[in-house]
Amino acid sequence: MAKEPKPIDDLTIWDDAKAMIKKAREEGIETVHERLQMQTPHCKFCELGTTCRNCTMGPCRISKKMPRGVCGADADVVVARNFGRFIAGGAAGHSDHGRDLIEVLEAIVEGEAKDYKITDEAKLIRIAAEVGIETEGRDIMAVAEDAMECFFGDFGSRKSEVAFLSRAPKVRRDKWDSLNMTPRGIDREIAEMMHRTHMGCDNDAPNTMIHAARTALADGWGGSMIGTELSDVIFGTPTPKMSTANLGIIKEDQVNLLVHGHNPVVSEMILAAARDPELVARAKELGAEGINVGGLCCTGNELLMRQGIPMAGNHLMTELAILTGAVEAIVVDYQCIMPSLVTIAGCYHTKFIDTANKARFTGGIHIDFQPKTAMEQAKEIVSMAVEGFAERDAGRVDIPCEPVSIMTGFSNEAVIEALGGSLDPLVQAIANGDIRGAVGIVGCNNPKFKQDSMNVGLAKELIKRDILVLATGCVTTAAGKAGLLVPEAIEMAGPGLKKVCGSLGIPPVLHYGSCVDNSRILQLCGALADTLGVDISDLPVGASSPEWYSEKAAAIGLYAVASGIYTHLGHPPNILGSETVTNLAVEGLEDLVGATFFIEPDPVKTAEMFDERIKAKRKGLGLSE
Ligand code: NFS
């Protein structure tokens, strides 16, 4: 590489990551950090969002010198179109994941998926009743079938709104109606976004942005929410439990299998197969103490929430986990999986196994995972990992640390139970100022940031100010590694939060699940607003994705804002080439939906911004400081 590599201390806040980056450099293995450096500086037009590749009269680049593309589109139109498609990509990812859960439910109903079952019948009945399905005295499979039909219907074009929109306050739904922002069907809004951004269609940037918000809402209150709720129905609703995190969860004396991706349909079955006595016996025959399943990214979060498996790391730890030299297999489904993992796995004995036809990796071992044959295939995968143990080169193993404890499992159901059956104690604590407000910190790592410096820095600053933090996705392991996900972390919190969390025995940063589980936070906000008789935009709450990178994170940010939640991003999406779009995002949306984005790379300043907002919202509700 021509450029001098960046000092390792600038790349991450973690010792385990530093040790593995050092090892990668010594062994001549390239990681995301070197590739970012090679790609820098990035194309200025692309950064500003002013490149258009939507037709072959172009491609065009819009600038002061060349203010219009061949078709006549200006910077506003081009930026809005690009952003709209970016959001559609994110909404499609989450929602297609949600659809996969409906298909598993369908297979259960039809008796075609013997390895899956309805684990939480009470939750199925509850959500079915919520979406208007008759449940009294009916067979659970009949209820499941109706729920399946209802949710499949949410993806289509025959409804005026998706079913779970009933969880949003009436004032909010009226607002969406008046703005043409009500999500009608999930696939419909995504397809319409592709249509609108075809050359010659929606050539009015604000109008395109409104539809982007509608598409994002279809994700948050539709596809993601269906994904979360049906995962709970099929695999169980999370309850609080303890686990561990960081690269130290990888065990020298065990077969290590890491699950990576998003959908619990694959990873839950892998975990079950890893407990198969025959496979465990075979692992022991080969000299291992057992089979250890560790989590990466969001499918890790799914298993952590429900089964308490240990977490190896978040997005920027995925390459580094393989560098321990002790991972027999990395099993992936889809989303957030760097194709570089195949290459790095190839530098070791690690088998890279992909399981989804819609996410295949050249050079990976492909298993076409189907609900019908799930356990059989999961055993085949685990068996590959077990046999791989014999190929491990002990001389190349380096597990850089001991794991730290974390607490997980905070579904809304679990929180309400901990509160004694209703949200009232939480409302009380907010009203008396012990909890001044709440912020969800969600999403990714991005090598453009010192890994987890923002994720952790912001969480610490907020809890100090008695602002409760809900963490999901890749922020989870960040918070966990920083010691924020254990009850003892109340020592880092302000006096009010310390009192409330201390009395409940919970951490001041609650692990709320994977990225699709941000829908849990939406539901909670809806319920809080209803309890108080106000709109979501009146609540002292916020959302943040400090180190975001993905289309999905942008969709999350936009559905949060469109739901009335003031939302922080650590760096801007590629929209700065349009003043109209930028101003709408950071200002204009306030008048429309009662919230905006704000962009701020510094965690302390970000916390101050949230603090100000929360003060104002508390005042608006007539609450004292
Ligand atoms: Ni969500 Fe970010 Fe990916 Fe999960 Fe992690 S990178 S958008 S947090 S794993 S989806």
Side-chain angles (χ1 to χ4, degrees), residues 115-178:
D115 304 321
Y116 298 94
K117 62 177 199 290
I118 294 170
T119 300
D120 192 341
E121 292 191 1
K123 176 147 188 176
L124 174 61
I125 290 168
R126 217 163 51 238
I127 63 174
E130 243 185 294
V131 298
I133 295 167
E134 182 58 53
T135 59
E136 265 311 295
R138 290 183 73 202
D139 179 67
I140 193 73
M141 284 301 166
V143 175
E145 189 171 357
D146 286 356
M148 166 197 111
E149 290 296 345
C150 168
F151 296 135
F152 271 138
D154 276 357
F155 279 80
S157 308
R158 305 299 298 274
K159 291 188 174 181
S160 54
E161 57 178 61
V162 297
F164 281 132
L165 228 57
S166 59
R167 291 178 169 182
K170 173 88 172 48
V171 274
R172 179 62 29 186
R173 280 180 281 144
D174 289 347
K175 186 159 278 167
W176 289 332
D177 272 343
S178 72

Side-chain angles (χ1 to χ4, degrees), residues 1-6 34-42:
M1 195 172 98
K3 291 179 185 171
E4 184 66 27
K6 279 196 175 162
E34 286 78 44
R35 292 191 300 273
L36 172 62
Q37 223 180 330
M38 282 188 270
Q39 286 292 339
T40 313
H42 300 282

Side-chain angles (χ1 to χ4, degrees), residues 434-455:
D434 283 341
I435 297 177
R436 293 180 50 240
V439 172
I441 312 184
V442 314
C444 328
N445 288 141
N446 183 326
K448 290 178 175 175
F449 293 91
K450 183 174 188 174
Q451 185 200 5
D452 291 331
S453 58
M454 274 290 278
N455 287 337

Side-chain angles (χ1 to χ4, degrees), residues 115 160 198 264 279 327 438 457 461 469 477 485 489 520 532:
D115 304 321
S160 54
H198 185 280
L279 286 167
V327 177
E461 283 300 320
V469 171
T477 6
L485 294 186
R520 297 187 199 275
L532 292 164

Side-chain angles (χ1 to χ4, degrees), residues 482-495:
L484 292 166
L485 294 186
V486 284
E488 297 73 34
I490 55 170
E491 296 308 327
M492 291 184 252

Side-chain angles (χ1 to χ4, degrees), residues 47-122:
E47 271 184 340
L48 294 169
T50 50
T51 31
C52 182
R53 291 180 294 113
N54 290 14
C55 84
T56 61
M57 295 195 287
C60 297
R61 291 170 302 176
I62 313 295
S63 65
K64 282 218 171 80
K65 254 199 259 165
M66 308 176 283
R68 290 187 182 269
V70 178
C71 71
D74 61 10
D76 291 343
V77 166
V78 168
V79 166
R81 283 202 302 225
N82 288 337
F83 184 68
R85 288 197 170 191
F86 198 73
I87 294 298
H94 283 148
S95 298
D96 204 37
H97 166 168
R99 178 186 357 247
D100 285 339
L101 269 307
I102 315 177
E103 287 188 349
V104 173
L105 185 66
E106 180 182 37
I108 294 171
V109 167
E110 291 176 351
E112 295 278 330
K114 59 180 185 339
D115 304 321
Y116 298 94
K117 62 177 199 290
I118 294 170
T119 300
D120 192 341
E121 292 191 1

